[in-house]
Amino acid sequence: RVRDSEANFANLALHDGLTQLPNRALARQRMDAAIVQGREQGAMVVVLFIDVDDFKTINDSLGHSVGDEFLQHVAKRLGAAVRDGDTVSRQGGDEFLVVLPDIRDLNAVSAIANQILQSISLPIEVRGMQLLTSASIGIAVFPHDGSEYESVLKCADLALYQAKDAGRNTFRFFDTTMNANLLEHVQ
């Protein structure tokens, strides 16, 4: 019984309580491991930072319990849209992170991002209501956009804002002009 309790506690510490997806800590562990493997094998590791468009409207107009059920459906769709060895995690609120290890071709990443966008845009039924949404995705690539988790995540986050600025329901790969534009905006 003590072992069961310890295992349950460890599971809770590394998984999101609402969606049962890996949480930030576990996503980071998996990303760090994928980076080590990528360095050894000369492969890329890609991060997709996903934000559900207009989720606040669903939460505010239909209530948090409907919003929670909605996010559970989104989590399942994300899991179904990626490869077996990929990690889908919930970062908090309506933000998700997908870690794609062992990438050799960025065209495959575009295909996965498009699959995610298509999957999320299909109606989601919650309590007899058909809810529609879309997603915005920012994409960053190890080793091109950073050499460790934090720097790659920061680049994916910047790319996410570019996707939102482009009208949502789209994805953007990070590029260095995004950093320059951000610095210019801050100044």
Side-chain angles (χ1 to χ4, degrees), residues 144-156:
H144 311 300
D145 302 325
S147 60
E148 43 75 41
Y149 175 83
E150 289 294 334
S151 58
V152 175
L153 187 63
K154 178 184 166 211
C155 292

Side-chain angles (χ1 to χ4, degrees), residues 53-80:
D53 297 331
D54 300 319
F55 174 70
K56 185 176 179 349
T57 304
I58 291 171
N59 233 6
D60 290 349
S61 60
L62 301 174
H64 290 280
S65 63
V66 170
D68 286 350
E69 282 184 52
F70 178 80
L71 288 176
Q72 290 168 333
H73 286 284
V74 168
K76 286 179 185 148
R77 287 191 180 180
L78 288 172

